[in-house]
Amino acid sequence: MTKLLILSVSAGNGHVRAAQALAATAQTLAPPCTAVHIDAMAHVAGGFRKVYTDWYIQLVNRAPELWSYLHQRTDTTPHHAPSQRLRRGIERLSTGALVKEIRREQPDAVICTHFLPAELLMRERNRGRIDYPVWLQITDYDLHNMWLVPGMAGYLAATEEVAFRLRARGIPADRIHVTGIPVMPAFSEPDAPALARNACATELGLDPSRPVLLMASGGAGVGDLPSMVERVLGLGGEGSFQVIAVAGRNVEAYGKLEALARRYPGRVVAIGFTNEMHKMMAASDLVVTKPGGLTVSECLALGKPMLLISPIPGQEEHNAGFLMEEGAAWLAYDAIGLDYKVARLMADTAKLANMAARSRALGKPQAARAVLQHVLSDSAA
């Protein structure tokens, strides 16, 4: 049986979720293949892990202008530049345990959902220490220079434009495959009865005859999630749209959302951490979210229109630009814009239907299966 090793990096959730989607989908193949998912950050030096994960989160939240500068600067820095060689040298010194863990697994092929392990394995291949193919899954709707890791067996792109940009930067066309971004099997069958909009709304205690707004995140410029929900509830009366508010692991936010649900009976469903986001999305008519590559891919897979908020400079801004160009999303720049656009969209069913159609046309719910088919067919050749 073919053994795949899937490597992610927990700098943000998207890279990990893409890897989880590939591992879960591997079990649904006929015949199934063995897929082992490893988060690279579980096998690196503690100091390196703190810088690579915590520092990134703090930087994008507290100094987005600095992150924007670094994102642009590194996008124009050649792979062979001294600063890039120094960065890779530091990474090698900090990731010895990870390389040993990869060798121990002895896979037939590797899929990386982040460029860090791809760069480490590139060096291993160049030194003749491994002979299996390494594939790189790009997890955004634009291309950054850091994804241009030489020597990959294949590059898995979200869109034709990302593929075009790979070719423009020198990647051979025969190594580029447009697959979309992998989503979990729960999102891969958008027309399944379990994801019927009215059934999911009823299961959540909502009135399926009334519009449903899903709010899954807050952020800079628009406020925290409970304050966002409270504001938009004031945009309509008792018979107006309903809100699903997902706080995740934020216990304080969840408590405030539960209080809002008591104040607005029949209009708010407060959700904490959940493994059933596919049902929340399926029940909704509009999704308010940050434009992370995996989150928007899930929305596209289910054909959901989006109102985007608080994009991280760089990759999320580019994701938002792509979605707006294609007609699947609007962008709210601040709290006032959020209130205005929620009110306008929730009152315009024709506009929402048009955006939903564009979203569904862009969606690639079978992306994980397409990725695995490319990798497995190459391994069998």
Side-chain angles (χ1 to χ4, degrees), residues 87-223:
R87 175 184 61 80
R88 291 194 296 272
I90 294 172
E91 290 172 352
R92 286 195 297 272
L93 291 173
S94 305
T95 55
L98 171 62
V99 173
K100 290 179 181 177
E101 182 67 16
I102 294 171
R103 289 177 187 159
R104 188 185 67 80
E105 290 292 341
Q106 297 183 327
D108 296 301
V110 175
I111 307 173
C112 301
T113 63
H114 191 281
F115 47 80
L116 169 62
E119 287 181 329
L120 295 173
L121 289 174
M122 173 196 69
R123 186 169 187 270
E124 292 291 290
R125 282 186 63 84
N126 290 343
R127 302 212 165 191
R129 294 171 181 161
I130 62 173
D131 60 359
Y132 44 77
V134 180
W135 296 68
L136 187 54
Q137 171 70 59
I138 300 167
T139 55
D140 282 302
Y141 289 86
D142 193 36
L143 181 67
H144 187 275
N145 187 54
M146 300 291 279
W147 290 102
L148 299 175
V149 182
M152 298 291 99
Y155 301 79
L156 305 154
T159 65
E160 292 289 349
E161 182 176 352
V162 174
F164 182 90
R165 290 181 177 277
L166 283 164
R167 294 192 297 270
R169 295 201 184 196
I171 302 299
D174 62 353
R175 296 194 182 186
I176 302 168
H177 308 277
V178 179
T179 59
I181 297 174
V183 294
M184 291 293 286
F187 294 88
S188 66
E189 300 292 341
D191 296 319
L195 291 179
R197 187 262 185 198
N198 288 358
C200 289
T202 300
E203 183 178 337
L204 289 165
L206 298 168
D207 179 355
S209 68
R210 292 161 55 198
V212 176
L213 175 68
L214 172 61
M215 304 183 73
S217 59
V222 294

Side-chain angles (χ1 to χ4, degrees), residues 285 303 305 327 345 348-360:
D285 299 293
L345 287 172
D348 191 342
T349 55
K351 180 63 178 177
L352 282 180
N354 179 263
M355 292 171 68
R358 292 301 306 138
S359 180
R360 179 170 283 248

Side-chain angles (χ1 to χ4, degrees), residues 257-271:
L257 292 172
E258 284 191 310
L260 284 174
R262 290 190 293 271
R263 284 174 51 195
Y264 295 88
R267 289 201 64 199
V268 181
V269 174
I271 304 291

Side-chain angles (χ1 to χ4, degrees), residues 34-377:
T34 301
V36 177
H37 169 215
I38 293 178
D39 176 14
M41 291 297 103
H43 299 277
V44 300
F48 179 80
R49 179 170 58 250
K50 186 173 182 62
V51 169
Y52 214 91
T53 57
D54 296 353
W55 182 81
Y56 165 75
I57 298 298
Q58 291 183 23
L59 185 61
V60 298
N61 287 332
R62 299 181 181 180
E65 298 85 359
L66 176 57
W67 170 252
S68 179
Y69 168 78
L70 292 172
H71 186 274
Q72 294 175 23
R73 184 65 180 268
T74 54
D75 192 34
T76 57
T77 303
H79 192 78
H80 59 271
S83 61
Q84 293 299 310
R85 293 202 301 269
L86 175 62
R87 175 184 61 80
R88 291 194 296 272
I90 294 172
E91 290 172 352
R92 286 195 297 272
L93 291 173
S94 305
T95 55
L98 171 62
V99 173
K100 290 179 181 177
E101 182 67 16
I102 294 171
R103 289 177 187 159
R104 188 185 67 80
E105 290 292 341
Q106 297 183 327
D108 296 301
V110 175
I111 307 173
C112 301
T113 63
H114 191 281
F115 47 80
L116 169 62
E119 287 181 329
L120 295 173
L121 289 174
M122 173 196 69
R123 186 169 187 270
E124 292 291 290
R125 282 186 63 84
N126 290 343
R127 302 212 165 191
R129 294 171 181 161
I130 62 173
D131 60 359
Y132 44 77
V134 180
W135 296 68
L136 187 54
Q137 171 70 59
I138 300 167
T139 55
D140 282 302
Y141 289 86
D142 193 36
L143 181 67
H144 187 275
N145 187 54
M146 300 291 279
W147 290 102
L148 299 175
V149 182
M152 298 291 99
Y155 301 79
L156 305 154
T159 65
E160 292 289 349
E161 182 176 352
V162 174
F164 182 90
R165 290 181 177 277
L166 283 164
R167 294 192 297 270
R169 295 201 184 196
I171 302 299
D174 62 353
R175 296 194 182 186
I176 302 168
H177 308 277
V178 179
T179 59
I181 297 174
V183 294
M184 291 293 286
F187 294 88
S188 66
E189 300 292 341
D191 296 319
L195 291 179
R197 187 262 185 198
N198 288 358
C200 289
T202 300
E203 183 178 337
L204 289 165
L206 298 168
D207 179 355
S209 68
R210 292 161 55 198
V212 176
L213 175 68
L214 172 61
M215 304 183 73
S217 59
V222 294
D224 60 88
L225 181 60
S227 67
M228 286 167 52
V229 172
E230 186 169 14
R231 286 202 319 273
V232 301
L233 286 169
L235 301 174
E238 183 176 341
S240 183
F241 60 84
Q242 305 156 102
V243 178
I244 305 171
V246 182
R249 291 187 170 89
N250 189 326
V251 176
E252 181 181 357
Y254 178 61
K256 292 179 179 179
L257 292 172
E258 284 191 310
L260 284 174
R262 290 190 293 271
R263 284 174 51 195
Y264 295 88
R267 289 201 64 199
V268 181
V269 174
I271 304 291
F273 177 76
T274 178
N275 288 317
E276 296 194 319
M277 184 58 80
H278 53 291
K279 292 185 178 181
M280 316 293 167
M281 285 188 182
S284 67
D285 299 293
L286 176 66
V287 179
V288 176
T289 183
K290 286 174 60 62
L294 266 291
T295 299
V296 302
S297 295
E298 292 166 352
C299 289
L300 294 176
L302 298 184
K304 296 300 173 180
M306 289 162 270
L307 179 54
L308 306 173
I309 58 172
S310 307
I312 294 172
Q315 66 270 36
E316 287 192 358
E317 287 179 337
H318 296 162
N319 292 343
F322 164 74
L323 295 166
M324 289 189 291
E325 286 174 358
E326 296 290 342
W330 281 10
L331 175 64
Y333 294 97
D334 55 20
I336 296 172
L338 173 70
D339 297 347
Y340 170 75
K341 291 178 181 180
V342 165
R344 183 173 168 187
L345 287 172
M346 295 305 284
D348 191 342
T349 55
K351 180 63 178 177
L352 282 180
N354 179 263
M355 292 171 68
R358 292 301 306 138
S359 180
R360 179 170 283 248
L362 294 171
K364 295 187 182 297
Q366 295 294 328
R369 187 172 293 267
V371 169
L372 293 170
Q373 287 173 346
H374 282 297
V375 174
L376 292 172
S377 62

